[in-house]
Amino acid sequence: MIIVMPQINKVIVHLQSKSLEMKTTVKIPEAALEAALSYNEFRKLVTGLLAEGKSTGHEQKPSYLDYTKLNEHRMNRWDKHFLVSEGTLSAVKQIKQPRKWLLITEGWCGDSAQTAPAMAKIAAQNALIDFKVVIRDDHDELMNMFLTNGTRSIPILVCMDENNQVLWHWGPRPQGALNYITRAKQEGIETSVWKEKLHLWYAQNKQQDLQQELIELIRSED
């Protein structure tokens, strides 16, 4: 997951149940950066593919198409109603050097639909932050740099400096969502049931956990 290089930088890694602080330097593949889309371009791509009866990604499944349709509504809702908190705004405004926020995702990913709109709007609060999106299945090398317990879980948000060195990354879910899933599995709740209730958790949480975790990561850059 982490590639160790001679130079040393701080990376905060959010993995499943906790955040880990590591010393390393990771540089993002140029191909991924060149293919990155703006948030609006990503939304248009997903909408356009949906009109053709397709989803993003290399594998086309009826379920992916159904998820994408639901995600369009979720993202539209968050685009319209999400408000950046005062604490998040303050932290973002403290960023004084150019940053790139690169989101690894797919249009069918439910967790991404619940968090990507908020990430994009948060990044837009500071002109020094360049928020971009890359499609996971098109960039294996990039995805393999940010595996979660050996899996290609998304979304993953990667923060880089002006030299494309990774400062931290976040994902694939806020800690509260991870805690809920852990409890649901321990209680033997069926996957289809807890997945549906997970989206209810996102609605009730109103991006509070996501914002607090991003605040902590932004502050870790100092």
Side-chain angles (χ1 to χ4, degrees):
M1 175 191 61
I2 294 298
I3 299 175
V4 180
M5 303 289 284
Q7 299 177 3
I8 301 296
N9 282 336
K10 179 185 288 186
V11 180
I12 302 297
V13 185
H14 184 76
L15 291 178
Q16 293 290 31
S17 61
K18 60 183 177 179
S19 295
L20 304 176
E21 183 173 317
M22 297 184 178
K23 301 287 187 176
T24 187
T25 291
V26 178
K27 194 166 185 178
I28 299 299
E30 288 294 332
L33 295 174
E34 292 173 0
L37 307 170
S38 69
Y39 177 68
N40 287 336
E41 289 171 337
F42 170 69
R43 292 301 314 274
K44 289 179 181 178
L45 171 66
V46 173
T47 300
L49 287 172
L50 193 56
E52 299 174 5
K54 301 177 182 178
S55 65
T56 63
H58 294 173
E59 189 174 7
Q60 297 294 314
K61 298 180 180 179
S63 58
Y64 282 0
L65 190 60
D66 291 338
Y67 297 152
T68 302
K69 292 176 181 177
L70 288 172
N71 289 344
E72 283 280 273
H73 294 295
R74 290 168 179 150
M75 297 183 79
N76 288 339
R77 184 170 59 248
W78 282 121
D79 281 340
K80 182 177 180 180
H81 296 293
F82 172 66
L83 297 176
V84 180
S85 72
E86 289 297 324
T88 304
L89 182 60
S90 176
V92 169
K93 291 294 186 183
Q94 292 303 310
I95 296 174
K96 305 300 182 184
Q97 300 296 326
R99 293 287 182 260
K100 294 178 182 177
W101 285 13
L102 188 66
L103 182 66
I104 309 170
T105 191
E106 295 283 353
W108 46 259
C109 176
D111 290 289
S112 180
Q114 297 286 8
T115 54
M119 294 176 190
K121 190 169 288 188
I122 290 169
Q125 305 308 307
N126 188 328
L128 289 172
I129 302 176
D130 182 20
F131 183 82
K132 293 293 179 63
V133 182
V134 292
I135 303 302
R136 183 194 69 175
D137 287 0
D138 292 343
H139 300 282
D140 288 341
E141 181 183 0
L142 173 64
M143 184 68 254
N144 289 337
M145 294 169 65
F146 300 100
L147 300 179
T148 301
N149 294 340
T151 69
R152 291 158 54 86
S153 299
I154 49 176
I156 297 293
L157 178 66
V158 183
C159 174
M160 294 164 281
D161 63 17
E162 57 191 343
N163 297 313
N164 299 329
Q165 299 289 340
V166 175
L167 301 178
W168 52 260
H169 80 268
W170 174 97
R173 297 181 174 107
Q175 188 62 50
L178 294 172
N179 292 342
Y180 166 73
I181 294 170
T182 299
R183 290 195 303 270
K185 290 180 177 179
Q186 290 173 344
E187 295 170 6
I189 298 175
E190 291 184 9
T191 301
S192 61
V193 175
W194 69 249
K195 282 187 175 181
E196 182 177 345
K197 291 187 176 181
L198 176 61
H199 290 291
L200 178 60
W201 179 90
Y202 276 113
Q204 294 174 338
N205 186 258
K206 298 180 180 179
Q207 310 291 358
Q208 294 180 59
D209 283 26
L210 172 65
Q211 292 191 85
Q212 185 56 45
E213 291 174 13
L214 290 181
I215 287 173
E216 293 173 4
L217 288 166
I218 291 170
R219 288 175 175 168
S220 76
E221 298 174 20
D222 296 332

